[in-house]
Amino acid sequence: MDEVAIYAFQIGFAFAILILISLGLAVIFGMMRVINLAQGEFLMLGAYFCTLITQSGVNLWLAFLLSGLAVGVFGIIVEVVIIRWLYGRILDTLLATWGLSLFLVGGVTTLFGPQSESVAAPLGRFSVGVYGISQYSLVVIAVALALLAGTYALWRYTRFGLVVRGTMQNPTMAAGLGIRTWLVYMLTFGFGSALTGLAGAVLAPIVGAAPPMGVFFIGKAFITVIAGGQMPLLGTISASGLFGTIDGVVSYISSSVVGEMGMLFVAIILLRLLPLGITGRLKRGI
Amino acid sequence: MALRVLGLTAPSKKPQPWWWGVVALLALFVFTIPLYLDVAELYSISNFLVLAILALSMSFLWGYGGMLSFGQTAFFGLGGYTYAVLALNTGETTSALLIAVLLPMIFAAILGYFMIYGRISDIYFSVITLVVTLILEKGIRATSGDQYVIGSVRLNGQNGIPTTPSLQLPWDAKAQLDIADVFYVAAGLLFVTYIGLRLLLLTRFGRILVSIKENERRSELLGYDTRRYKWLAFVIAGGIAGLAGAMWGIWGNFVGPNMFNLNQAAQVVIWVIVGGKSTLIGPIGGTVAVQYLTDWLGTQGVGQVSLILGIILMVMVLLFQQGLLPSAGIIAAFAKDRLGLTRRGRAS
């Protein structure tokens, strides 16, 4: 019984991590078709903001929100300076954001040094049979689900969401209806960045904050969003579910590196069978 | 157009007689370098030459096959590790070098089958190749324990394999090549790769590859199985990258997980983008220029090289998309036009 519970927990936790790291990318890449290779560095910035803010004595939970906001603003700046000039030129976007990623890693290392900063994990642990589980990892799962539900509600039930979806589907038509599409693109990119920053902040108590941390997540995030296919939210959920299961189980049996390799292996085979991703055959939606 | 101004022709055209002359002159120049440079300089130039081979594999695949593979570093690293492990196990380096080319080709064939025959789009191709190299890096980094042994060689995780042997003469295992010899081998391999690729692009295969880059749908409607050509190009480029990796191991007597990492992958793209991907010679120049710059920055103690690489990459993409050499050509053409030096200008 404890075994089952611990497996369920492992899978749920792996699922939540995947959702956290890929939700922002699902907005930026899945909806806007902007390949942002600096996505991992946005996570890193979120984690750094979180450590800085908590070190200045602010409550951790408030620090999460503030980090998300800060990275959101940073994302808007990036959109205005770089991304805006490259819409429709996917490969150039990819190269430019790669440059941004190197720049951020170098910049943060220069400012804060190569060592990793840490945030004390809040809350205690409880035990299931002989296994110990930190309560904070349950918080991570809850935050992932809340962000998912919030994003879905924003896209599905608000006027802003409607305008964003319309603009992504047909920018010319949206512009013809009087929508300032440049503003929509800017805000959507900012929203995706904010989600990523918040995710980075939530991960900070678990993995700390270090300049190269983005690289650890970027691969997983891209595999998840690509394998998810054209429906950003549903695709991300289903791919996270699939990969989370593989990652959770394999990591538990063997090691996290083998778990990740298993994920990649399954993803490549999946893309051979379903080149458009898991939701590729479905009608358009979110 | 821009290329013609500088007197360059695109490699899909038959080389002019003077091209052979230029290549011969270049070769003469490169092969006489050891006569007047000391060993330390020779050592760093050999590095540029080896990395230029890697840049060629990327330039071929991206500039002529239209496939931007970030995973060339995966084959680079795989080639290096294959060479190191085999050479240390067997004590014989010639066959190790050959297999270090072959194994990345096989890996490229398998990976390419899934990606190219799966018809994933260009952009997914780029991202998946990137993910593959990142995960290989992670895998290699995790092999630090005693249980990760291939034959008698410990993989050592983070620390790499610092005892990678230098190349021996094929017929005499005792004769180890020294730094100057390695320079000659690297230069020779670079010239062979360059001329080989240049000639390959003239063949039926090369022309079809370029046509696929120009318009894949049209080539397909003309009856070519585009997947097969792209797949072959991917395998060839994988082999070249593997060769570069093995040579890099021979050059530094070291292979390590950094061969796979994101900075390395970014550098390959930067070399090609700085040199311009519309020629094969440009990326060689780009490699030498950028590597020289990063080496120099490293000795100046400016701290983070990746900061500067990042800025170069962003500026190149936003301002000089064609690469420096072709961009210079475009600017020259524009200036000529403005100053009324072109024939059209004079006529009007």
Side-chain angles (χ1 to χ4, degrees):
Chain A
M1 187 54 220
D2 295 343
E3 281 278 324
V4 177
I6 211 77
Y7 265 108
F9 166 76
Q10 282 286 344
I11 291 169
F13 188 61
F15 173 73
I17 297 276
L18 281 178
I19 289 283
L20 278 177
I21 61 179
S22 44
L23 195 58
L25 193 66
V27 171
I28 289 176
F29 175 49
M31 293 188 72
M32 302 178 67
R33 310 312 296 171
V34 170
I35 296 234
N36 180 18
L37 277 187
Q39 196 71 18
E41 278 61 44
F42 284 20
L43 272 173
M44 183 258 291
L45 284 183
Y48 265 96
F49 276 122
C50 182
T51 54
L52 288 181
I53 294 170
T54 46
Q55 274 165 16
S56 65
V58 179
N59 173 303
L60 182 67
W61 311 105
L62 190 61
F64 288 167
L65 281 182
L66 290 176
S67 321
L69 271 181
V71 178
V73 171
F74 180 76
I76 287 179
I77 296 171
V78 168
E79 203 272 349
V80 172
V81 177
I82 300 176
I83 310 288
R84 170 162 303 177
W85 311 98
L86 301 171
Y87 282 122
R89 285 159 44 193
I90 292 188
L91 277 183
D92 289 336
T93 320
L94 190 156
L95 293 171
T97 51
W98 197 355
L100 178 68
S101 143
L102 292 172
F103 174 78
L104 287 177
V105 174
V108 169
T109 315
T110 313
L111 285 178
F112 299 104
Q115 75 281 10
S116 95
E117 308 274 334
S118 60
V119 183
L123 309 174
R125 303 174 71 83
F126 65 96
S127 55
V128 179
V130 290
Y131 305 101
I133 290 178
S134 83
Q135 287 176 18
Y136 185 71
S137 43
L138 294 183
V139 173
V140 171
I141 297 178
V143 171
L145 291 179
L147 284 180
L148 203 55
T151 311
Y152 179 78
L154 181 71
W155 291 156
R156 187 71 183 77
Y157 297 116
T158 65
R159 192 183 142 69
F160 174 70
L162 186 69
V163 169
V164 168
R165 282 188 291 143
T167 308
M168 298 312 153
Q169 220 167 65
N170 192 337
T172 323
M173 179 64 84
L177 291 172
I179 288 163
R180 281 169 291 178
T181 49
W182 61 270
L183 189 66
V184 174
Y185 276 113
M186 193 175 93
L187 290 178
T188 314
F189 194 87
F191 178 68
S193 312
L195 281 178
T196 315
L198 183 61
V202 172
L203 288 174
I206 305 175
V207 294
M213 72 182 276
V215 180
F216 291 103
F217 296 109
I218 185 90
K220 274 187 184 181
F222 267 105
I223 298 179
T224 309
V225 177
I226 288 180
Q230 61 168 332
M231 287 164 64
L233 284 186
L234 188 63
T236 305
I237 297 169
S238 46
S240 300
L242 175 66
F243 294 146
T245 311
I246 296 166
D247 196 17
V249 171
V250 178
S251 303
Y252 187 68
I253 296 171
S254 169
S255 72
S256 66
V257 174
V258 181
E260 214 160 297
M261 289 188 160
M263 250 179 82
L264 178 74
F265 185 68
V266 173
I268 288 178
I269 292 188
L270 192 74
L271 278 177
R272 177 71 185 89
L273 300 174
L274 297 168
L276 295 173
I278 297 173
T279 60
R281 299 270 167 89
L282 302 177
K283 273 193 312 185
R284 282 197 78 89
I286 47 172
Chain B
M1 169 61 207
L3 294 174
R4 219 177 304 145
V5 175
L6 291 181
L8 295 166
T9 45
S12 52
K13 301 215 178 65
K14 214 174 179 144
Q16 308 286 323
W18 59 261
W19 179 80
W20 290 102
V22 171
V23 170
L25 271 178
L26 267 177
L28 197 67
F29 169 68
V30 169
F31 281 98
T32 50
I33 283 179
L35 299 180
Y36 47 87
L37 284 188
D38 63 34
V39 172
E41 286 165 316
L42 216 52
Y43 186 66
S44 57
I45 295 177
S46 306
N47 185 26
F48 300 162
L49 296 179
V50 170
L51 295 175
I53 300 177
L54 178 60
L56 273 181
S57 87
M58 170 70 121
S59 159
F60 167 69
L61 200 59
W62 186 16
Y64 300 98
M67 292 179 274
L68 175 51
S69 155
F70 290 138
Q72 289 317 97
T73 43
F75 306 121
F76 179 70
L78 203 61
Y81 268 90
T82 309
Y83 173 79
V85 167
L86 281 177
L88 283 174
N89 267 323
T90 60
E92 203 273 318
T93 57
T94 315
S95 62
L97 184 62
L98 285 178
I99 296 173
V101 177
L102 219 58
L103 197 75
M105 285 176 91
I106 294 170
F107 181 57
I110 297 170
L111 188 65
Y113 168 76
F114 281 107
M115 291 191 303
I116 294 166
Y117 280 80
R119 291 187 182 278
I120 60 174
S121 68
D122 294 352
I123 202 69
Y124 286 5
F125 177 86
S126 305
V127 175
I128 299 243
T129 46
L130 180 66
V131 169
V132 167
T133 189
L134 288 182
I135 295 204
L136 274 177
E137 184 202 357
K138 223 179 251 186
I140 289 288
R141 278 194 196 283
T143 58
S144 47
D146 284 328
Q147 70 272 35
Y148 297 103
V149 175
I150 301 181
S152 60
V153 183
R154 273 189 57 178
L155 290 178
N156 277 335
Q158 297 272 19
N159 299 324
I161 305 176
T163 48
T164 307
S166 187
L167 211 55
Q168 308 151 353
L169 293 177
W171 52 88
D172 180 9
K174 291 202 184 64
Q176 292 252 338
L177 301 191
D178 64 13
I179 287 175
D181 298 332
V182 170
F183 174 86
Y184 284 121
V185 174
L189 285 174
L190 176 61
F191 274 100
V192 168
T193 313
Y194 171 64
I195 295 170
L197 283 179
R198 184 77 165 77
L199 296 181
L200 179 69
L201 285 168
L202 296 175
T203 61
R204 188 183 131 85
F205 168 76
R207 288 170 187 284
I208 293 169
L209 193 64
V210 173
S211 85
I212 293 172
K213 186 202 112 187
E214 296 297 335
N215 191 334
E216 182 163 359
R217 171 84 35 99
R218 190 175 292 173
S219 318
E220 200 151 28
L221 290 173
L222 286 171
Y224 297 113
D225 184 358
T226 57
R227 295 176 301 181
R228 198 158 58 100
Y229 293 95
K230 289 172 83 168
W231 180 74
L232 269 176
F234 188 61
V235 173
I236 293 172
I240 297 173
L243 174 71
M247 280 307 296
W248 197 78
I250 291 166
W251 165 77
N253 297 116
F254 172 74
V255 294
N258 278 354
M259 292 173 82
F260 294 98
N261 81 3
L262 198 60
N263 274 1
Q264 184 72 46
Q267 283 187 5
V268 185
V269 178
I270 293 172
W271 301 330
V272 175
I273 211 173
V274 166
K277 61 182 166 28
S278 47
T279 63
L280 285 174
I281 195 93
I284 299 180
T287 309
V288 175
V290 174
Q291 272 314 104
Y292 185 79
L293 180 73
T294 44
D295 281 7
W296 181 76
L297 287 173
T299 57
Q300 297 300 302
V302 277
Q304 290 302 312
V305 176
S306 71
L307 192 77
I308 292 160
L309 287 181
I311 294 174
I312 295 180
L313 192 50
M314 284 191 282
V315 169
M316 289 303 299
V317 171
L318 287 170
L319 301 178
F320 306 100
Q321 284 156 38
Q322 306 291 320
L324 281 186
L325 195 65
S327 288
I330 290 171
I331 292 168
F334 180 74
K336 265 188 178 175
D337 209 39
R338 269 303 158 90
L339 297 172
L341 294 176
T342 50
R343 194 160 294 158
R344 183 162 47 83
R346 237 178 283 154
S348 59

